[in-house]
Amino acid sequence: MSIHDRNKLRKLRRHAGRLNRMIGDGSIQDVTPRGRSRLLRRVRDLYEGLCGVVSEITLRHILAASAVLVLGVSACGGGGGGPTGDADTDTGSDVAVDMDAGDLTDPAEEPVSDAVLDGDEDPVPDGEEDATPDGEDDPVLDGEEDAEPDTGTDAEMDPDADDAVDVGVDEGVSTITPSFATARRNPFSMVLGASYVGLPELADLDGDGDLDMMAGVGDITAGGIMYYENTGTAGSATFGSPDVGPFSITITGVFAAPALVDIDGDGDLDLFTGESDTYTGSIGFRRNTGTSTSPAFAAPVTNPFGISGLTDSFYFPELGDIDGDGDMDLFLGERDGDVLLLRNTGTSSSPAFAAPVTNPLGITAVTQIAAPALGDLDRDGDLDLIVGEEGGDLMYFQNTGTATSPAFATVVANPFGLTSVDQWAFPDLADMDADGDLDLYVGEYDGYMQYFENTAI
């Protein structure tokens, strides 16, 4: 991805995050029609400009369900169906959306200063853009290069590395210190589907703007995959009962640890699984041959894309762009407590994994059963790491480097109000409530799931 496109992606995340918050809290009603028009146009134009550069599923998740409905954007290449307007005129008449659920449009809405959007009064006449849009340090117009330095990071695009989990994350908010509430067991009306090991993976598998869950199962006789479709919304999940063996996925071993990511850049989520026959561990790969809204998985391939050097009996995969080069690298937790990194030396559409490096970048081994989860917990633009372990602790490695040159700090056990779970901890980071910070789901040995809501935002 070019620097120019990274800048556009950063702006889309900033403006879409603002739009989602304003729709959610009703403050969009306090903005003049002209102000609405400008914000909607910016978001729509950035979305359309990134079609074909960034996967469509990623773009639509940045917008989130509410913004998709307001903007009326259609599939990339299909032409926008939402409000229209050009760069030379901005009368507000192009906002054919009713933000307060009244009539179709609100031409008689009481004018309010655009300070709500810009952070100060807007002296710029209609038809021109602000020199400093939205009160932030972005001195250029949308679609142009940023004058501020570009770090080259793609971590902002998908901080939890699943190409789907970052609904509502707003880059415009400053860095945060996470703060987790007391754990809730089997939340969101979830019906327990496994009597042994449960390994959660959260992603929008059906492209409806909320996070579904694919859960791996480990058993002494047979492993498997369960699918919990989210029948709620991006901000209020409902899981219910699982579909066992979804999408014709079968596991032949005693264990399956799922990881979903768009590894080939075609806009849908592919499936990696850590698998084991008790004595030998491997990585299975099932390419999504369906679509972003209707997945279908091909027959499994073992240790694809050059994966080699695996000697342990269990592996727990996690993927993320740890070096900011635009493709997904592979982390593997091992049964013996080590964490391996297999860098992707290929591309975002044609991956190739290098030989594994054990405990790189300052990572240290945990006791046993290392289960990694990546995400930008502190919102500083790089990927941090949480590793679950056998005793139920959650080990936090803050990335004190950058998005392109990572370096992990000394490990801290159960930080930010987290507590140890019963036995074995299998974490996954995702913004479950669409409030802009990453929450934590943790599977346990007994099959239960613990949910720690991040209340930082």
XYZ file of all heavy atoms in Angstrom, residues 366-441:
561
model
N 6.021 -18.280 28.235
C 5.149 -18.448 29.389
C 5.311 -19.886 29.890
O 6.091 -20.668 29.339
C 3.685 -18.128 29.030
C 3.569 -16.691 28.547
C 3.146 -19.090 27.968
N 4.580 -20.235 30.937
C 4.788 -21.534 31.577
C 4.565 -22.683 30.611
O 5.455 -23.485 30.340
C 3.843 -21.684 32.783
O 4.027 -20.575 33.648
C 4.145 -22.962 33.542
N 3.367 -22.762 30.070
C 3.003 -23.731 29.037
C 1.734 -23.231 28.360
O 1.060 -22.340 28.847
C 2.758 -25.131 29.625
C 3.994 -25.990 29.757
C 3.657 -27.450 30.012
O 2.640 -27.764 30.624
N 4.505 -28.352 29.560
N 1.407 -23.824 27.220
C 0.177 -23.504 26.468
C 0.129 -22.010 26.157
O -0.666 -21.247 26.730
C -1.108 -23.939 27.205
C -0.966 -25.358 27.750
C -2.301 -23.812 26.290
C -0.868 -26.426 26.679
N 0.990 -21.549 25.269
C 1.049 -20.133 24.879
C 0.023 -19.863 23.777
O 0.108 -20.428 22.691
C 2.440 -19.771 24.395
N -0.934 -19.000 24.071
C -1.983 -18.654 23.100
C -1.936 -17.150 22.850
O -2.388 -16.364 23.691
C -3.351 -19.067 23.624
N -1.387 -16.691 21.715
C -1.199 -15.257 21.474
C -2.431 -14.563 20.887
O -3.204 -15.170 20.140
C -0.050 -15.229 20.466
C -0.202 -16.517 19.697
C -0.762 -17.522 20.668
N -2.583 -13.296 21.238
C -3.605 -12.430 20.647
C -2.990 -11.068 20.406
O -2.382 -10.483 21.321
C -4.820 -12.309 21.556
N -3.124 -10.545 19.189
C -2.559 -9.261 18.805
C -3.637 -8.187 18.739
O -4.763 -8.442 18.305
C -1.881 -9.363 17.441
C -0.602 -10.189 17.343
C -0.290 -10.495 15.880
C 0.564 -9.464 18.004
N -3.284 -6.974 19.126
C -4.194 -5.850 18.986
C -3.541 -4.582 19.505
O -2.647 -4.628 20.363
N -3.989 -3.455 19.010
C -3.441 -2.170 19.447
C -4.203 -1.717 20.689
O -5.081 -0.862 20.630
C -3.561 -1.140 18.318
C -2.845 0.163 18.644
O -2.217 0.233 19.724
O -2.911 1.090 17.833
N -3.844 -2.276 21.832
C -4.588 -2.031 23.064
C -4.509 -0.583 23.517
O -5.467 -0.042 24.064
C -4.072 -2.944 24.176
C -4.834 -4.248 24.390
C -4.138 -5.099 25.427
C -6.263 -3.973 24.812
N -3.350 0.051 23.337
C -3.179 1.422 23.815
C -3.372 2.465 22.718
O -3.140 3.647 22.933
C -1.813 1.599 24.472
C -0.669 1.093 23.592
O -0.913 0.803 22.400
O 0.467 0.988 24.099
N -3.747 2.023 21.527
C -4.096 2.912 20.418
C -2.948 3.850 20.025
O -3.173 5.008 19.659
C -5.349 3.713 20.750
C -6.586 2.857 20.909
C -7.764 3.670 21.419
N -8.110 4.709 20.487
C -9.094 4.633 19.583
N -9.817 3.548 19.488
N -9.351 5.635 18.785
N -1.727 3.303 20.046
C -0.586 4.114 19.630
C -0.119 3.764 18.231
O 0.926 4.220 17.783
C 0.562 3.993 20.625
C 1.140 2.584 20.706
O 0.526 1.648 20.143
O 2.199 2.409 21.341
N -0.871 2.925 17.518
C -0.585 2.657 16.123
C 0.255 1.431 15.857
O 0.587 1.160 14.701
N 0.602 0.663 16.914
C 1.323 -0.589 16.688
C 0.607 -1.727 17.424
O -0.299 -1.506 18.226
C 2.786 -0.487 17.112
C 2.963 0.010 18.540
O 2.133 -0.347 19.419
O 3.917 0.746 18.807
N 1.018 -2.956 17.152
C 0.338 -4.124 17.695
C 0.975 -4.582 19.000
O 2.164 -4.894 19.054
C 0.378 -5.270 16.681
C -0.421 -5.052 15.390
C -0.229 -6.231 14.448
C -1.888 -4.843 15.686
N 0.172 -4.617 20.052
C 0.587 -5.177 21.326
C 0.207 -6.658 21.358
O -0.497 -7.164 20.477
C -0.092 -4.413 22.470
C 0.141 -2.909 22.362
O 1.307 -2.490 22.398
O -0.848 -2.162 22.220
N 0.653 -7.356 22.385
C 0.487 -8.806 22.433
C 0.011 -9.240 23.816
O 0.571 -8.836 24.834
C 1.827 -9.483 22.114
C 1.894 -11.008 22.209
C 1.044 -11.656 21.129
C 3.346 -11.475 22.104
N -1.050 -10.054 23.847
C -1.464 -10.758 25.058
C -1.300 -12.245 24.804
O -1.730 -12.752 23.760
C -2.913 -10.427 25.447
C -3.003 -8.990 25.979
C -3.428 -11.399 26.501
C -4.379 -8.584 26.456
N -0.664 -12.941 25.745
C -0.470 -14.387 25.617
C -1.146 -15.072 26.799
O -0.810 -14.808 27.963
C 1.033 -14.755 25.582
C 1.202 -16.269 25.438
C 1.730 -14.037 24.427
N -2.126 -15.935 26.500
C -2.716 -16.755 27.538
C -1.818 -17.928 27.852
O -0.999 -18.348 27.010
N -1.951 -18.474 29.064
C -1.075 -19.594 29.425
C -1.822 -20.606 30.276
O -2.986 -20.412 30.657
C 0.197 -19.086 30.103
C -0.003 -18.237 31.329
C 0.034 -19.050 32.608
O 0.933 -19.875 32.781
O -0.873 -18.852 33.438
N -1.148 -21.715 30.574
C -1.775 -22.883 31.176
C -2.477 -22.589 32.495
O -3.564 -23.109 32.768
C -0.718 -23.975 31.390
C -1.256 -25.263 31.982
C -0.151 -26.267 32.231
O 0.967 -25.853 32.597
O -0.398 -27.478 32.046
N -1.867 -21.763 33.339
C -2.448 -21.487 34.646
C -3.630 -20.543 34.610
O -4.243 -20.263 35.652
N -3.982 -19.997 33.427
C -5.116 -19.088 33.312
C -4.754 -17.626 33.328
O -5.632 -16.757 33.207
N -3.454 -17.313 33.479
C -3.036 -15.910 33.481
C -3.000 -15.345 32.058
O -2.841 -16.078 31.073
C -1.649 -15.762 34.105
C -1.677 -15.919 35.619
O -2.657 -15.478 36.237
O -0.723 -16.501 36.168
N -3.102 -14.031 31.994
C -3.054 -13.294 30.732
C -1.831 -12.398 30.768
O -1.760 -11.445 31.551
C -4.336 -12.485 30.548
C -5.597 -13.363 30.430
C -6.846 -12.586 30.797
C -5.709 -13.952 29.033
N -0.851 -12.714 29.946
C 0.458 -12.064 29.984
C 0.517 -10.985 28.895
O 0.315 -11.268 27.710
C 1.559 -13.099 29.763
C 1.386 -14.379 30.586
S 1.340 -14.085 32.377
C 3.079 -13.799 32.689
N 0.809 -9.762 29.310
C 0.754 -8.601 28.414
C 2.157 -8.134 28.047
O 2.983 -7.843 28.915
C -0.007 -7.462 29.095
C -0.001 -6.153 28.342
C -0.505 -6.067 27.043
C 0.483 -4.989 28.937
C -0.508 -4.855 26.360
C 0.470 -3.773 28.260
C -0.019 -3.718 26.972
O -0.023 -2.522 26.303
N 2.407 -8.065 26.740
C 3.651 -7.516 26.197
C 3.306 -6.235 25.426
O 2.779 -6.301 24.312
C 4.320 -8.513 25.252
C 4.759 -9.799 25.892
C 3.884 -10.870 26.012
C 6.058 -9.955 26.366
C 4.286 -12.074 26.588
C 6.475 -11.145 26.943
C 5.580 -12.210 27.061
N 3.590 -5.088 26.004
C 3.335 -3.825 25.313
C 4.380 -3.618 24.235
O 5.578 -3.826 24.461
C 3.367 -2.647 26.276
C 3.053 -1.321 25.599
C 3.178 -0.135 26.538
O 3.697 -0.272 27.647
N 2.711 1.018 26.112
N 3.932 -3.213 23.062
C 4.846 -2.874 21.980
C 5.329 -1.446 22.201
O 4.577 -0.487 22.032
C 4.142 -3.002 20.634
C 5.082 -2.868 19.451
O 6.212 -2.403 19.594
N 4.619 -3.261 18.277
N 6.586 -1.318 22.596
C 7.162 0.006 22.836
C 7.984 0.479 21.645
O 8.641 1.524 21.719
C 8.048 -0.022 24.096
O 9.048 -1.046 23.941
C 7.215 -0.312 25.332
N 7.947 -0.293 20.566
C 8.602 0.120 19.334
C 7.628 0.886 18.458
O 6.906 1.769 18.934
N 7.600 0.538 17.199
C 6.709 1.201 16.250
C 5.981 0.141 15.426
O 6.235 -1.056 15.560
C 7.495 2.118 15.302
O 8.334 1.309 14.447
C 8.348 3.111 16.077
N 5.125 0.606 14.540
C 4.379 -0.301 13.683
C 5.275 -1.007 12.681
O 4.940 -2.075 12.174
C 3.286 0.463 12.942
N 6.415 -0.424 12.374
C 7.339 -1.040 11.410
C 8.566 -1.645 12.069
O 9.278 -2.427 11.446
C 7.792 0.008 10.375
O 8.397 1.112 11.062
C 6.609 0.496 9.554
N 8.821 -1.292 13.316
C 9.985 -1.817 14.043
C 9.547 -2.166 15.463
O 9.804 -1.422 16.420
C 11.117 -0.787 14.065
O 12.263 -1.310 14.720
N 8.868 -3.305 15.632
C 8.286 -3.640 16.929
C 9.337 -4.035 17.957
O 10.403 -4.570 17.628
C 7.376 -4.826 16.600
C 7.995 -5.459 15.389
C 8.582 -4.321 14.600
N 9.030 -3.765 19.223
C 9.861 -4.188 20.353
C 8.942 -4.315 21.559
O 8.231 -3.361 21.904
C 10.969 -3.175 20.630
N 8.930 -5.485 22.171
C 8.002 -5.733 23.263
C 8.673 -5.531 24.616
O 9.808 -5.979 24.854
C 7.422 -7.145 23.163
C 6.493 -7.316 21.992
C 6.898 -8.018 20.865
C 5.229 -6.756 21.999
C 6.053 -8.173 19.778
C 4.373 -6.894 20.912
C 4.788 -7.601 19.800
N 7.955 -4.855 25.513
C 8.451 -4.581 26.859
C 8.374 -5.839 27.728
O 7.784 -6.856 27.353
C 7.632 -3.456 27.488
N 8.948 -5.744 28.898
C 8.902 -6.846 29.859
C 7.455 -7.221 30.158
O 6.591 -6.351 30.328
C 9.611 -6.445 31.161
O 10.960 -6.070 30.857
C 9.603 -7.583 32.161
N 7.199 -8.497 30.249
C 5.840 -8.990 30.410
C 5.232 -8.553 31.741
O 5.920 -8.440 32.757
C 5.819 -10.533 30.291
C 6.591 -11.187 31.428
C 4.390 -11.059 30.224
N 3.920 -8.280 31.713
C 3.146 -7.961 32.904
C 1.968 -8.929 32.951
O 1.247 -9.086 31.964
C 2.632 -6.506 32.884
C 1.806 -6.219 34.127
C 3.794 -5.525 32.767
N 1.751 -9.565 34.087
C 0.664 -10.534 34.226
C -0.622 -9.834 34.653
O -0.630 -9.020 35.577
C 1.038 -11.609 35.237
N -1.698 -10.136 33.948
C -3.051 -9.693 34.314
C -3.132 -8.186 34.593
O -3.557 -7.757 35.671
C -3.560 -10.469 35.531
C -3.555 -11.966 35.310
O -3.917 -12.438 34.236
N -3.148 -12.720 36.320
N -2.747 -7.346 33.607
C -2.777 -5.892 33.827
C -4.183 -5.319 33.611
O -5.102 -6.020 33.188
C -1.837 -5.373 32.749
C -2.062 -6.331 31.615
C -2.273 -7.683 32.260
N -4.332 -4.044 33.901
C -5.526 -3.257 33.549
C -6.810 -3.832 34.155
O -7.890 -3.700 33.581
C -5.686 -3.158 32.028
C -4.439 -2.783 31.287
C -3.958 -3.572 30.256
C -3.722 -1.642 31.640
C -2.814 -3.236 29.572
C -2.570 -1.296 30.961
C -2.109 -2.100 29.928
N -6.712 -4.506 35.294
C -7.898 -5.066 35.927
C -8.256 -6.464 35.482
O -9.256 -7.027 35.950
N -7.471 -7.058 34.585
C -7.721 -8.441 34.178
C -7.448 -9.390 35.337
O -6.622 -9.111 36.213
C -6.834 -8.822 32.991
C -7.086 -8.083 31.683
C -5.998 -8.424 30.659
C -8.463 -8.412 31.121
N -8.126 -10.521 35.336
C -7.908 -11.542 36.346
C -7.688 -12.883 35.667
O -8.155 -13.114 34.548
C -9.106 -11.644 37.305
O -10.304 -11.846 36.548
C -9.246 -10.382 38.151
N -6.999 -13.762 36.351
C -6.751 -15.094 35.829
C -8.067 -15.845 35.655
O -8.987 -15.715 36.469
C -5.833 -15.851 36.791
O -5.639 -17.185 36.375
N -8.176 -16.624 34.580
C -9.348 -17.483 34.396
C -9.037 -18.846 35.022
O -7.942 -19.085 35.529
C -9.724 -17.606 32.908
C -10.065 -16.234 32.339
C -8.606 -18.252 32.091
N -9.991 -19.761 34.977
C -9.881 -20.985 35.766
C -8.665 -21.842 35.396
O -7.860 -22.198 36.236
C -11.157 -21.821 35.619
C -12.315 -21.215 36.411
O -12.046 -20.347 37.261
O -13.474 -21.590 36.163
N -8.547 -22.201 34.147
C -7.444 -23.042 33.713
C -7.296 -22.926 32.204
O -8.268 -23.045 31.470
C -7.699 -24.504 34.092
C -6.534 -25.432 33.788
C -6.834 -26.878 34.167
O -7.941 -27.203 34.559
N -5.841 -27.737 34.037
N -6.101 -22.723 31.744
C -5.788 -22.447 30.356
C -6.528 -21.167 29.918
O -7.700 -20.978 30.204
C -6.143 -23.594 29.419
C -5.358 -24.857 29.620
C -4.584 -25.171 30.698
C -5.284 -25.965 28.725
N -4.031 -26.415 30.546
C -4.436 -26.930 29.336
C -5.835 -26.247 27.489
C -4.145 -28.144 28.740
C -5.537 -27.469 26.895
C -4.708 -28.399 27.507
N -5.848 -20.303 29.219
C -6.441 -19.037 28.766
C -6.178 -18.874 27.279
O -5.025 -18.877 26.851
C -5.854 -17.863 29.550
N -7.250 -18.738 26.513
C -7.155 -18.572 25.061
C -7.794 -17.234 24.695
O -9.010 -17.141 24.509
C -7.859 -19.726 24.344
C -7.340 -21.087 24.738
C -8.075 -21.905 25.567
C -6.100 -21.523 24.294
C -7.600 -23.157 25.940
C -5.610 -22.767 24.665
C -6.362 -23.585 25.493
N -6.998 -16.156 24.611
C -7.558 -14.813 24.437
C -7.803 -14.446 22.972
O -7.150 -14.960 22.053
C -6.473 -13.917 25.031
C -5.192 -14.665 24.751
C -5.542 -16.128 24.833
N -8.734 -13.522 22.773
C -8.922 -12.875 21.476
C -9.370 -11.447 21.730
O -10.260 -11.200 22.570
C -9.966 -13.616 20.638
C -9.952 -13.152 19.187
O -8.855 -12.892 18.656
O -11.035 -13.034 18.568
N -8.758 -10.507 21.037
C -9.062 -9.081 21.196
C -9.992 -8.620 20.087
O -9.733 -8.871 18.908
C -7.770 -8.260 21.164
C -6.877 -8.396 22.398
C -5.458 -7.929 22.086
C -7.451 -7.600 23.566
N -11.053 -7.926 20.458
C -12.014 -7.414 19.476
C -12.861 -6.340 20.127
O -13.099 -6.378 21.343
C -12.901 -8.545 18.958
N -13.342 -5.401 19.337
C -14.203 -4.338 19.844
C -15.642 -4.837 19.818
O -16.397 -4.575 18.882
C -14.038 -3.070 19.002
C -14.774 -1.880 19.592
O -15.393 -2.015 20.671
O -14.749 -0.819 18.957
N -16.044 -5.549 20.851
C -17.354 -6.204 20.866
C -18.511 -5.227 20.949
O -19.610 -5.520 20.485
C -17.437 -7.182 22.048
C -16.691 -8.482 21.849
S -17.237 -9.401 20.387
C -18.975 -9.633 20.740
N -18.303 -4.072 21.573
C -19.394 -3.125 21.772
C -19.278 -1.885 20.898
O -20.004 -0.908 21.083
C -19.501 -2.722 23.237
C -18.157 -2.316 23.827
O -17.182 -2.160 23.058
O -18.074 -2.153 25.056
N -18.365 -1.901 19.937
C -18.233 -0.826 18.946
C -18.050 0.545 19.578
O -18.552 1.542 19.082
C -19.443 -0.814 18.009
N -17.289 0.584 20.703
C -17.068 1.873 21.356
C -15.679 2.437 21.094
O -15.322 3.478 21.617
C -17.314 1.758 22.860
C -16.333 0.825 23.559
O -15.586 0.100 22.848
O -16.313 0.802 24.807
N -14.869 1.725 20.295
C -13.584 2.272 19.901
C -12.386 1.740 20.653
O -11.264 2.161 20.379
N -12.595 0.827 21.620
C -11.457 0.178 22.264
C -11.604 -1.336 22.149
O -12.682 -1.853 21.838
C -11.295 0.614 23.725
C -12.578 0.435 24.545
O -13.337 -0.525 24.281
O -12.814 1.246 25.455
N -10.521 -2.054 22.387
C -10.524 -3.501 22.216
C -10.893 -4.205 23.513
O -10.266 -4.006 24.551
C -9.146 -3.980 21.745
C -8.736 -3.531 20.341
C -7.324 -4.019 20.020
C -9.721 -4.022 19.300
N -11.931 -5.007 23.444
C -12.356 -5.840 24.555
C -11.649 -7.193 24.456
O -11.001 -7.505 23.448
C -13.871 -6.011 24.526
C -14.590 -4.675 24.406
O -14.450 -3.844 25.319
O -15.271 -4.445 23.380
N -11.780 -8.010 25.497
C -11.050 -9.271 25.538
C -11.999 -10.435 25.805
O -12.738 -10.436 26.797
C -9.975 -9.219 26.626
C -9.057 -10.441 26.748
C -8.210 -10.603 25.491
C -8.172 -10.328 27.984
N -11.987 -11.400 24.893
C -12.694 -12.664 25.056
C -11.656 -13.713 25.416
O -10.591 -13.784 24.797
C -13.376 -13.054 23.743
C -14.858 -13.319 23.854
C -15.782 -12.306 23.647
C -15.323 -14.588 24.152
C -17.138 -12.555 23.727
C -16.677 -14.853 24.234
C -17.587 -13.828 24.027
O -18.929 -14.073 24.117
